[in-house]
Amino acid sequence: RNVYFMDEMLEKNKPNLHQDIPSFLHMLQHVYRSQNHTRVGYFTKSFHNTEKVKTLHNHYAFSCLKNRCHVHEVSTNIGQMNHYRKTCAGEVMRDCDSLYKKFVVEDTRIWSWKDQVIPRTVTALTQLGLIEE
């Protein structure tokens, strides 16, 4: 299931950004997210067994061979999908303020990669001539 890391969540909670993280590293900067996950079945991502699926949408199977497709929901205790957006999209827009923007938590789990990502990204962008170190 999904959580939203929206631009305004960062702006409200950390208007001066995280000074130890380059401003161009969007995901490392945006660590304020919706506390609530999207409802089961909304904006899902899937893995498909090609021996069982007949037709596909990019998020789920439309039809299966011999009715052999199975859906397995992954608990949010195991994993979640992070959506980095300006605001909510599509089907959740009407509930955006009351379910997602209203309840915000800090989630810094991505920072476990910070010490590897920052120097490697800076090195690559410097070598490409896109930034000056």
Side-chain angles (χ1 to χ4, degrees):
R1 295 179 29 213
N2 304 297
V3 292
Y4 291 103
F5 291 77
M6 294 182 221
D7 291 349
E8 69 186 63
M9 292 172 177
L10 177 64
E11 292 160 4
K12 286 179 183 176
N13 290 286
K14 191 73 174 171
N16 296 323
L17 299 179
H18 300 280
Q19 298 304 309
D20 61 325
I21 299 171
S23 61
F24 55 79
L25 291 175
H26 186 86
M27 291 169 63
L28 287 176
Q29 283 286 346
H30 287 72
V31 293
Y32 296 94
R33 67 165 175 84
S34 57
Q35 179 178 337
N36 297 325
H37 290 77
T38 53
R39 294 182 198 126
V40 173
Y42 278 71
F43 305 105
T44 61
K45 302 292 185 243
S46 304
F47 295 99
H48 302 283
N49 182 336
T50 57
E51 293 177 1
K52 297 181 179 183
V53 176
K54 184 176 179 182
T55 58
L56 288 173
H57 177 272
N58 60 334
H59 293 286
Y60 50 85
F62 275 135
S63 63
C64 303
L65 299 170
K66 300 179 186 176
N67 295 322
R68 297 187 314 166
C69 288
H70 301 284
V71 174
H72 302 281
E73 179 75 21
V74 174
S75 166
T76 55
N77 294 327
I78 296 172
Q80 69 187 23
M81 292 183 289
N82 298 339
H83 284 261
Y84 295 82
R85 302 186 173 219
K86 185 167 186 65
T87 191
C88 293
E91 297 174 35
V92 298
M93 186 56 103
R94 79 164 191 254
D95 298 323
C96 191
D97 289 336
S98 61
L99 290 179
Y100 305 112
K101 291 182 180 181
K102 184 176 180 179
F103 302 99
V104 176
V105 295
E106 185 178 38
D107 182 344
T108 59
R109 286 179 280 186
I110 194 168
W111 285 355
S112 64
W113 300 100
K114 178 169 72 166
D115 293 339
Q116 294 174 15
V117 170
I118 293 172
R120 290 177 183 181
T121 303
V122 168
T123 298
L125 294 176
T126 302
Q127 289 175 350
L128 292 169
L130 298 173
I131 63 170
E132 291 183 21
E133 202 166 354

